[in-house]
Amino acid sequence: MISPTGTQETSMVEPERTPRSSLAAASADAVERPADDDPALNPAIDDPILEIDRISLWYGAKQALKDNSLKIATNRITAFIGPSGCGKSTLLRCINRLNDLIDEVRIEGQIRFEGRNIYDPEVEINALRKRIGMVFQKSNPFPKSIYENIAYGCRIQGIHKKSVLDEVVERSLRGAAIWDEVKDRLSESALGLSGGQQQRLCIARAIAVEPDVILLDEPCSALDPIATAKIEELMEDLKKDYTLVIVTHNMQQASRVSDYTAFLYLGEIVEYGETEKIFLKPMKQQTEDYITGRFG
């Protein structure tokens, strides 16, 4: 992927940018036209696995998301970037309905997963969350053994045969690139693992139930550079089998690992497109101001 400070030349003609505006009025530039008509918000994505369609969200009287639309490409990594409080994690949590657990939340719009609105009253939420897994900012292994952490999802689905669980545990730990580090410690507490190992264990636990989509909410924010590099390498491997959506404050991370990037500001998607174009030739002045450090 391309670093935001990279100097790689490209033959692409620089798109016309909107006029520079003051930061106080910057949000007015976010959405000037419907997303379907604005090339800065509508990259060509064929057969998306997820379609977010005019999603707005309120916490009580406070609006946190404002009429956002985008398509998520299958077997690709999509990153949400933007300053603190811009709505990145809120939008991510909409995708598997975790915001339903918060009191006084109101949501308008649709999110279609494989063509079906996940907010349809007939959608079974636990079945949805099996297919759209979540890895949180702070690793949260259960106070159980490493083995039982991975087997937990299968057990609650009624799978108890040891040979099946053994296969799932090994496959998941291998898939999360941690098998070699823990294969002789499966009966030990997961809480004894390092921070980076715990985060990879949580990823293994998520893939144990074979989801289609994995959501990652700042999965490297509490990790050191070595552990972060392992998680980033793992994400590249995982996208062969899964679709990944990641929230990150680290723009360098977004440029390294993601295929598509959405920049959010004050609850609105300002620009969305291929990561290389977002970081090298953004269409919106506000996007360029953010990725070059002029604000945020």
Side-chain angles (χ1 to χ4, degrees):
M1 297 295 174
I2 305 299
S3 168
T5 59
T7 57
Q8 176 181 339
E9 293 186 357
T10 174
S11 60
M12 177 169 43
V13 177
E14 182 173 353
E16 181 179 351
R17 295 195 176 103
T18 57
R20 182 184 300 272
S21 58
S22 68
L23 296 184
S27 62
D29 186 46
V31 180
E32 296 177 352
R33 298 185 286 174
D36 289 345
D37 298 330
D38 190 341
L41 295 169
N42 191 33
I45 295 177
D46 297 325
D47 194 25
I49 191 169
L50 285 160
E51 296 177 85
I52 298 173
D53 186 4
R54 304 184 72 88
I55 281 289
S56 297
L57 180 144
W58 290 260
Y59 295 118
K62 180 181 178 181
Q63 187 168 6
L65 295 174
K66 304 172 185 177
D67 199 33
N68 290 298
S69 299
L70 78 161
K71 298 176 181 178
I72 302 293
T74 306
N75 293 117
R76 295 292 183 268
I77 301 174
T78 299
F80 295 166
I81 65 171
S84 296
C86 70
K88 305 184 298 296
S89 293
T90 297
L91 181 59
L92 189 80
R93 291 167 63 94
C94 286
I95 296 174
N96 70 345
R97 295 186 57 175
L98 282 180
N99 289 316
D100 292 14
L101 303 174
I102 302 173
D103 292 336
E104 298 186 1
V105 162
R106 179 166 62 90
I107 300 172
E108 294 181 358
Q110 293 188 2
I111 296 179
R112 292 184 291 277
F113 174 48
E114 295 183 338
R116 183 180 183 186
N117 181 20
I118 67 170
Y119 287 97
D120 187 313
E122 296 183 0
V123 169
E124 209 285 307
I125 295 179
N126 289 330
L128 173 71
R129 291 177 184 154
K130 175 180 179 293
R131 299 191 64 193
I132 304 179
M134 184 83 173
V135 177
F136 296 93
Q137 177 178 2
K138 180 176 173 56
S139 56
N140 59 341
F142 301 142
K144 299 174 178 287
S145 69
I146 294 169
Y147 184 99
E148 288 300 328
N149 263 268
I150 307 304
Y152 179 81
C154 295
R155 290 192 189 280
I156 63 174
Q157 293 178 44
I159 300 172
H160 300 287
K161 189 175 181 180
K162 188 175 187 305
S163 61
V164 174
L165 294 176
D166 288 349
E167 181 181 348
V168 169
V169 169
E170 181 173 349
R171 171 180 55 79
S172 302
L173 291 171
R174 285 188 183 277
I178 193 175
W179 170 254
D180 289 339
E181 298 170 43
V182 301
K183 62 183 179 182
D184 298 322
R185 304 168 56 190
L186 297 179
S187 62
E188 297 180 16
S189 172
L191 301 178
L193 298 174
S194 70
Q197 288 174 326
Q198 287 186 8
Q199 195 66 299
R200 281 182 285 150
L201 179 77
C202 292
I203 293 173
R205 189 174 64 197
I207 65 179
V209 294
E210 299 185 324
D212 298 285
V213 179
I214 303 174
L215 311 176
L216 302 106
D217 191 359
E218 298 193 58
C220 303
S221 64
L223 304 182
D224 61 52
I226 294 175
T228 294
K230 289 182 178 180
I231 296 291
E232 291 181 0
E233 183 178 354
L234 173 59
M235 286 191 286
E236 284 290 333
D237 290 337
L238 288 174
K239 77 175 183 180
K240 299 170 186 174
D241 300 306
Y242 309 98
T243 299
L244 279 71
V245 186
I246 178 173
V247 164
T248 179
H249 273 101
N250 187 327
M251 287 184 288
Q252 288 76 21
Q253 181 176 74
S255 69
R256 285 192 301 264
V257 305
S258 69
D259 301 288
Y260 293 89
T261 295
F263 165 50
L264 286 83
Y265 186 63
L266 297 180
E268 297 179 272
I269 298 172
V270 176
E271 187 164 349
Y272 176 51
E274 295 177 14
T275 295
E276 182 174 348
K277 294 180 180 178
I278 291 289
F279 282 93
L280 290 181
K281 294 288 184 180
M283 294 185 181
K284 298 290 184 75
Q285 185 67 49
Q286 190 179 355
T287 307
E288 180 173 305
D289 288 347
Y290 179 71
I291 65 176
T292 56
R294 294 192 179 102
F295 78 101

